[in-house]
Amino acid sequence: MSEGTDDQVLVINSGSSSIKYQLLDPESGAVTAAGMVDRIGEDNAGIEHHADGETTERRGAVADHTAGLRLIFDTFAATGHDLTGSGIRAVGHRVVHGGEVFYRPTLIDDDVVAAIAELSSLAPLHNPANVAGIESARELLPGVPQVAVFDTAFFHGLPDAAKTYAIDAEVAAAHGIRKYGFHGTSHEYVSEQVAELLGRDPARLNQIVFHLGNGASASAIRGGRPTDTTMGLTPLEGLVMGTRSGDLDPGIIAHLVRSAHFDIDQVDKLLNRDSGIKGLSGVNDFRELQRLIDAGDTAAKLAYDVYIHRLRRYLGAYLIDLGGVDAITFTAGVGENSPQVRADALAGLSGFGIEVDPTANTAKDRTARRISPPDAKVAVLVVPTNEELAIARAAHRVAENT
């Protein structure tokens, strides 16, 4: 048994063909080990494991999520951290969709697993994979509390006017159709960090948070609670993303079915996997998009312009929704690493008290920081998200109260 792991939490993010994980201290945030198993179900699957300043890689067939978890546990043991004997305090599982049922971190039992599985109709790409990871972890660590932390939980209490779609009310009720919102763990964590960074009472802050990664979402937060968010019933609504369309006229779907004879699977693939930045430019990596723009690619430039236009449209909507804002924050892969996106998203808004300091914005700094001038009315910040730490802390709290 390795030393110092008896109060740590193992965080598992089980995707359709991958498992990301971290073993960390929920109090300090110190990470003992982290890694990912990718290409589950394929012969060329494998693991990349980081611990004690070293990286371990193994390639080979990984049949399913149980095999993937076993590979993770074997790699931990081989690098000096035997999870089965370490006495870790809890396992925290990221679960994408909690529906109306789950709106706080939840201790997992058989009934909870069944309920998460039943919600798969709302998240067919995510919840089944989450369940697979949960079942495998419960089998491998039967005596350790397992806790589900839901992406939708932070947005459960959205105001009725924000969460309600204007469709037949009976149809919506019968099929659980409402705005649920996603990336909630990140939005909650980042908004709390903003209040701490500014030395302000979160109950007195109006915030807009942009979580900009391959998936992207924005939220309006008043007094620590969200008043609106861009993602909806599914993670497809809202901002332009790496491969997702974001907002569009729903009549487009009917048009494709009638005129192009698309079936539902083709529509789903188009909007979730072949749209967004990728659909407009052919690439979904922002670094590659920027290289194409620099080379004079007009399609790439249009994709970028559409992306920024959508960001600014929601920024304006949330400014009105909140009646003014104290802080605007960028987080996640693009939000943390693209000064150009931050500058363009907020350009020309000095009349609203929103400015970006060019030097602060382009500084090579990966810590939480302010990038607006010191005397600007609105604080503009970059705050690295840490969903794993947020999940670990939530799981630890549940385990301590069990």
Side-chain angles (χ1 to χ4, degrees):
M1 173 169 51
S2 61
E3 296 182 1
T5 61
D6 58 342
D7 205 37
Q8 295 195 31
V9 174
L10 176 64
V11 174
I12 294 175
N13 181 354
S14 183
S16 58
S17 61
S18 67
I19 304 171
K20 298 178 183 178
Y21 61 90
Q22 280 192 13
L23 180 66
L24 69 160
D25 184 322
E27 183 174 344
S28 68
V31 177
T32 298
M36 179 174 72
V37 176
D38 65 354
R39 299 182 179 180
I40 293 173
E42 300 181 24
D43 291 337
N44 63 337
I47 188 171
E48 183 175 301
H49 179 84
H50 306 278
D52 303 320
E54 297 184 0
T55 298
T56 301
E57 294 187 62
R58 299 179 183 178
R59 308 304 301 181
V62 177
D64 52 27
H65 286 76
T66 297
L69 260 294
R70 290 190 182 280
L71 176 59
I72 292 169
F73 279 51
D74 290 346
T75 305
F76 265 106
T79 55
H81 302 281
D82 183 1
L83 295 180
T84 59
S86 67
I88 57 176
R89 188 67 187 91
V91 179
H93 295 270
R94 177 184 181 240
V95 179
V96 167
H97 217 305
E100 292 278 13
V101 181
F102 299 107
Y103 48 90
R104 58 173 60 94
T106 302
L107 186 68
I108 294 171
D109 57 21
D110 291 344
D111 291 339
V112 170
V113 174
I116 294 171
E118 287 180 7
L119 291 167
S120 293
S121 61
L122 294 172
L125 298 178
H126 299 95
N127 274 35
N130 300 155
V131 168
I134 289 169
E135 290 180 330
S136 299
R138 293 179 77 201
E139 177 184 337
L140 291 166
L141 291 171
V144 177
Q146 313 256 340
V147 179
V149 179
F150 298 89
D151 252 18
T152 52
F154 184 55
F155 300 114
H156 178 80
L158 284 174
D160 288 345
K163 73 181 183 184
T164 302
Y165 291 110
I167 66 171
D168 182 280
E170 292 184 3
V171 172
H175 298 282
I177 298 173
R178 55 155 285 188
K179 174 172 282 194
Y180 289 99
F182 298 86
H183 295 150
T185 305
S186 176
H187 285 277
E188 183 174 22
Y189 174 83
V190 168
S191 62
E192 290 172 349
Q193 294 299 301
V194 167
E196 185 174 323
L197 186 64
L198 296 178
R200 299 279 299 276
D201 180 356
R204 297 181 178 275
L205 276 180
N206 284 355
Q207 302 188 48
I208 297 173
V209 176
F210 286 106
H211 175 111
L212 306 179
N214 192 50
S217 60
S219 63
I221 301 171
R222 178 186 294 117
R225 299 304 307 165
T227 63
D228 206 351
T229 189
T230 53
M231 288 180 167
L233 174 76
T234 75
L236 183 59
E237 186 180 358
L239 303 177
V240 175
M241 304 176 223
T243 65
R244 298 179 195 143
S245 66
D247 292 341
L248 49 73
D249 177 356
I252 292 171
I253 298 172
H255 176 71
L256 288 171
V257 171
R258 293 186 183 120
S259 299
H261 307 294
F262 274 41
D263 62 29
I264 192 62
D265 291 330
Q266 289 174 303
V267 170
D268 185 74
K269 181 176 181 295
L270 172 69
L271 299 183
N272 278 291
R273 300 185 183 277
D274 297 326
S275 294
I277 295 294
K278 178 183 177 183
L280 292 172
S281 71
V283 300
N284 65 292
D285 187 299
F286 242 82
R287 293 164 295 186
E288 181 61 26
L289 183 73
Q290 190 59 58
R291 284 193 285 268
L292 291 174
I293 293 171
D294 293 342
D297 189 301
T298 56
K301 181 60 166 63
L302 175 61
Y304 180 82
D305 290 345
V306 171
Y307 182 91
I308 294 297
H309 177 79
R310 190 73 56 81
L311 289 180
R312 289 171 66 86
R313 192 173 82 184
Y314 273 107
L315 172 64
Y318 288 173
L319 282 172
I320 298 299
D321 180 64
L322 293 170
V325 67
D326 301 299
I328 299 170
T329 306
F330 294 88
T331 192
V334 176
E336 294 172 29
N337 296 302
S338 178
Q340 193 68 52
V341 166
R342 299 192 294 261
D344 290 342
L346 304 183
L349 300 178
S350 58
F352 296 92
I354 300 169
E355 299 181 60
V356 173
D357 179 274
T359 301
N361 187 36
T362 55
K364 302 297 183 183
D365 187 346
R366 294 189 175 276
T367 62
R369 62 201 184 276
R370 181 171 179 152
I371 60 169
S372 52
D375 59 348
K377 179 181 177 182
V378 177
V380 180
L381 305 109
V382 179
V383 175
T385 191
N386 194 335
E387 294 173 273
E388 290 81 10
L389 178 57
I391 291 170
R393 286 175 172 170
H396 191 268
R397 286 194 300 269
V398 172
E400 287 295 289
N401 292 327
T402 300

